[in-house]
Amino acid sequence: MSGTDGFDPDGVKCVVWDLDGTLWDEIAVESATDDLPTPRPSALAAIDALAARGVLSSIASRSAPSVLDRLDAVPQVRARFLAPQVSWQDKSESLRRIAKDLGIAVDALVLVDDSPYERAEVEALLPGVRTLAPEDVPALLAAFEGREVTAESRERVRRYRTEETRRAEGERFEGSREEFLRWCGMRLTVGAATPDEVPRALELAARTHRLNSSGLTPDRLRELASSDGHELYTARMTDRFGEYGIIGAALVDRTRRADGGAPATWSVPLLALSCRVAGRGAAAAFLFRLMERAREAGAEEFRVTLRPTDANLEMRILLRQAGLRRTDAAATTATATSTTPAATAPATAADSAVLGRTLQGDLPGSPVWLHVSDREDTEA
């Protein structure tokens, strides 16, 4: 995809910049000295504006790897970029590596490159990646204007830098992956969302794909979260390196029975987690704690609405590992009960299913390296 027509800023997590002719005017390898060309002020301003809105920046340049070494000597410029790639490999391969290093989908990248050839190569091999010429950058920035910026968004670049440190420590760690995760001292807290956490929950609904159960829209999530019988939960995580912030959100329908008793079923129209915590057991721990809370509240069954996509295979595997199986409940009324007005029952896509399991007997336990608690407990 090229240009900004039909551009959805919610789908963009990282803008990848070419160097020669894009970030700066000259060709770095042709410089007579070790000094790098001077970056264009407009490009640096655009990178800073994107960072303020929670959009990362990286580099994909077909040039000598030594250029990246020289960039390391200019920290005020180098610090703006995460997971940079400078080599003679194809741009499409560089973008794949950037996405892998950042733990995001390739389709969440945007490439800015002055070369029509490089843009065409990426469009051919990575059709989900939008490509822009440098002159398209003002339109890119304009697409973000007027959109709500959460506290989590403003911290995103810093937290990804912390993640680079965490990953480097993991590579140096002498021991197993589980031993490293134990050493990290990860703590997950779960609780009802406070008013100032709701914008982040809406952001997770809009921006997550790998660990998103149903694709419920932010507008629908806001509507349901404010309706009777529904409660929004969030999960926060920390470790020895610092705070991850709010990494998960779940909407729970706990509409009471007609006789006023506790709901027999907790239904979850949306379970969404940040891809930054993939592979660390946080999604499982959040889900399992919700199941425990449901049983403690007197529920006998736990259900989750699932809309399978090419991106959310990890979520589908997690739900199956948690013992959830397809039920006979109609997806279009997945969270409706006899006391739920039709106007507030979530309209679920026709290609969605409802997965459920009993809450009787043993429930799955959280990963041993994660300490899980309720937020009310930690604040007491």
Side-chain angles (χ1 to χ4, degrees):
M1 295 181 289
S2 61
T4 57
D5 291 343
F7 177 69
D8 177 17
D10 284 334
V12 178
K13 296 185 178 180
C14 180
V15 175
V16 181
W17 301 79
D18 172 49
L19 293 179
D20 302 333
T22 300
L23 185 68
W24 47 58
D25 293 328
E26 296 86 357
I27 299 175
V29 294
E30 295 180 357
S31 173
T33 70
D34 286 339
D35 294 335
L36 288 173
T38 301
R40 295 170 177 171
S42 60
L44 295 182
I47 291 165
D48 293 342
L50 290 167
R53 295 186 171 277
V55 180
L56 314 177
S57 284
S58 186
I59 290 170
S61 176
R62 279 170 53 84
S63 187
S66 59
V67 171
L68 185 56
D69 296 332
R70 292 157 63 188
L71 189 61
D72 288 338
V74 191
Q76 66 271 26
V77 177
R78 173 65 179 84
R80 289 175 163 91
F81 301 103
L82 293 157
Q85 297 289 317
V86 180
S87 71
W88 297 113
Q89 67 187 355
D90 290 339
K91 285 287 174 75
S92 58
E93 183 59 29
S94 292
L95 265 59
R96 289 190 184 97
R97 292 191 179 187
I98 291 168
K100 181 179 179 181
D101 286 350
L102 295 178
I104 62 179
V106 174
D107 291 0
L109 303 176
V110 169
L111 173 68
V112 179
D113 198 308
D114 68 305
S115 167
Y117 170 83
E118 301 291 0
R119 298 198 302 270
E121 189 266 338
V122 169
E123 291 165 16
L125 295 181
L126 301 175
V129 173
R130 188 173 293 272
T131 66
L132 304 175
E135 55 266 28
D136 295 325
V137 170
L140 170 69
L141 298 177
F144 287 92
E145 290 298 325
R147 307 185 77 84
E148 184 174 15
V149 181
T150 68
E152 296 287 331
S153 295
R154 289 188 288 270
E155 288 290 301
R156 186 169 293 122
V157 174
R158 181 183 65 80
R159 286 181 172 146
Y160 268 91
R161 289 198 186 106
T162 301
E163 181 60 27
E164 284 191 328
T165 302
R166 190 179 285 114
R167 185 170 59 249
E169 286 293 333
E171 291 172 355
R172 288 192 292 267
F173 188 82
E174 296 181 0
S176 68
R177 172 68 173 171
E178 181 176 325
E179 288 171 334
F180 173 70
L181 294 174
R182 284 177 182 269
W183 178 78
C184 286
M186 292 186 290
R187 305 179 71 88
L188 185 82
T189 59
V190 177
T194 60
D196 62 337
E197 291 178 334
V198 172
R200 172 56 175 164
L202 300 176
E203 185 178 51
L204 285 167
R207 292 173 61 87
T208 57
H209 303 285
R210 289 172 62 185
L211 293 170
N212 186 309
S213 67
S214 66
L216 195 71
T217 66
D219 288 343
R220 188 64 171 138
L221 175 59
R222 189 195 302 271
E223 177 187 355
L224 289 169
S226 62
S227 64
D228 291 342
H230 291 79
E231 190 161 19
L232 187 62
Y233 288 87
T234 56
R236 290 178 173 269
M237 197 160 86
T238 64
D239 67 9
R240 70 188 304 142
F241 297 98
E243 295 187 2
Y244 287 80
I246 299 173
I247 52 85
L251 178 67
V252 175
D253 178 356
R254 46 189 301 182
T255 307
R256 291 190 173 274
R257 298 193 304 255
D259 62 5
T265 301
W266 270 31
S267 296
V268 180
L270 174 72
L271 176 65
L273 291 103
S274 168
C275 60
R276 286 188 294 119
V277 297
R280 284 158 220 199
F286 188 24
L287 173 62
F288 299 164
R289 183 60 195 130
L290 290 174
M291 294 167 63
E292 291 169 354
R293 290 183 71 134
R295 184 163 67 179
E296 292 165 2
E300 300 171 355
E301 187 179 8
F302 189 88
R303 292 179 175 176
V304 177
T305 301
L306 173 67
R307 181 173 178 266
T309 68
D310 291 340
N312 69 0
L313 177 61
E314 287 179 67
M315 175 62 72
R316 286 182 275 153
I317 292 173
L318 169 62
L319 296 177
R320 185 164 187 84
Q321 290 175 337
L324 290 130
R325 300 292 183 268
R326 190 177 185 120
T327 71
D328 293 332
T332 53
T333 57
T335 62
T337 69
S338 58
T339 60
T340 305
T344 62
T348 311
D351 55 353
S352 296
V354 178
L355 309 184
R357 63 156 291 161
T358 179
L359 293 174
Q360 297 177 355
D362 294 335
L363 294 178
S366 297
V368 294
W369 57 81
L370 252 176
H371 179 272
V372 183
S373 62
D374 291 333
R375 202 163 304 140
E376 304 92 284
D377 296 338
T378 61
E379 294 173 353

